[in-house]
Amino acid sequence: EVQLVESGGGLVQPGGSLKLSCAASGFTFSGSAMHWVRQASGKGLEWVGRIRSKANSYATAYAASVKGRFTISRDDSKNTAYLQMNSLKTEDTAVYYCTRGVDYWGQGTLVTVSS
Amino acid sequence: DIQLTQSPSFLSASVGDRVTITCRASQGISSYLAWYQQKPGKAPKLLIYAASTLQSGVPSRFSGSGSGTEFTLTISSLQPEDFATYYCQQLNSYPVTFGGGTKVEIK
């Protein structure tokens, strides 16, 4: 059974940092591109970014709204993807989901940026 | 960036109704379109990918069509469990983008 489990969410002050993790199981993680998508309360879905596999040079891509502040990485030995979030803004407050392409999504982790 | 415009943004329908949701792309995206269903407090669930391919386990009352810039999601006979919000997503080019969503409510 495919599982994606996000962790690391919480309350952080504006300007602060947070690192989210996405633990994967049930599929060949090392061969899969992994994405992060977020959703502010009562709002729609916003793609954050993705990291490709080793075979694709771990290439990353980001939404303009987070480029330069967020970094996606992965550790294939741990079947885990990460989202490092720096210089956080109140508008980054959202539930953050990790996804394997289009088909599998985690349950999400809430990030709240507030003073 | 490719913009996806969903219509309507809100839809009120009855059980048994045929429902159609449209997603228009600001430029051609071939068939690189997915449809999702989301219920409150839950992660989105993939319904359709590659514009018209039904995801395994999804009821056959859901269907998708279109290519290029205009796409539709059709629910042939709305069931009580189908009341939810639906999103389209394009994967033709980065950044990946989503439509604004269509909320389907009970009439």
Side-chain angles (χ1 to χ4, degrees):
Chain A
E1 179 194 6
V2 171
Q3 278 200 311
L4 295 170
V5 180
E6 301 94 338
S7 60
L11 175 64
V12 61
Q13 291 189 337
S17 298
L18 207 58
K19 187 173 185 177
L20 307 183
S21 299
C22 170
S25 61
F27 65 98
T28 306
F29 178 80
S30 61
S32 300
M34 299 300 295
H35 298 243
W36 289 90
V37 174
R38 68 184 180 182
Q39 186 172 37
S41 180
K43 302 297 185 182
L45 300 167
E46 180 186 17
W47 179 79
V48 173
R50 68 99 172 98
I51 185 167
R52 286 183 165 158
S53 64
K54 181 179 180 180
N56 290 289
S57 304
Y58 298 125
T60 55
Y62 299 95
S65 58
V66 306
K67 196 169 186 178
R69 300 188 299 122
F70 290 12
T71 302
I72 299 174
S73 60
R74 62 192 296 160
D75 185 338
D76 290 344
S77 69
K78 296 182 178 179
N79 285 355
T80 301
Y82 303 98
L83 178 64
Q84 175 68 48
M85 303 183 293
N86 298 331
S87 303
L88 282 161
K89 307 175 181 180
T90 55
E91 53 263 41
D92 295 319
T93 295
V95 173
Y96 285 73
Y97 298 99
C98 70
T99 85
R100 185 192 81 162
V102 298
D103 52 1
Y104 293 106
W105 293 57
Q107 84 289 349
T109 187
L110 176 63
V111 172
T112 303
V113 184
S114 174
S115 55
Chain B
D1 297 3
I2 296 174
Q3 312 300 320
L4 295 180
T5 303
Q6 277 185 245
S7 60
S9 54
F10 177 86
L11 188 160
S12 181
S14 301
V15 172
D17 283 353
R18 181 182 181 88
V19 167
T20 298
I21 299 169
T22 298
C23 179
R24 289 188 175 87
S26 59
Q27 57 187 274
I29 58 171
S30 185
S31 295
Y32 293 102
L33 190 100
W35 288 98
Y36 297 90
Q37 176 193 69
Q38 188 180 33
K39 296 183 179 180
K42 299 293 187 182
K45 172 189 173 184
L46 178 66
L47 300 175
I48 302 283
Y49 63 94
S52 60
T53 303
L54 192 68
Q55 171 70 348
S56 176
V58 174
S60 59
R61 63 181 179 272
F62 291 92
S63 64
S65 65
S67 67
T69 61
E70 187 145 341
F71 302 85
T72 58
L73 173 70
T74 300
I75 309 172
S76 60
S77 177
L78 200 64
Q79 297 302 299
E81 59 268 30
D82 300 337
F83 292 95
T85 301
Y86 294 84
Y87 294 93
C88 57
Q89 178 199 38
Q90 69 81 20
L91 301 105
N92 180 76
S93 63
Y94 286 92
V96 170
T97 49
F98 290 89
T102 296
K103 188 173 185 180
V104 178
E105 290 200 342
I106 302 172
K107 195 174 203 176

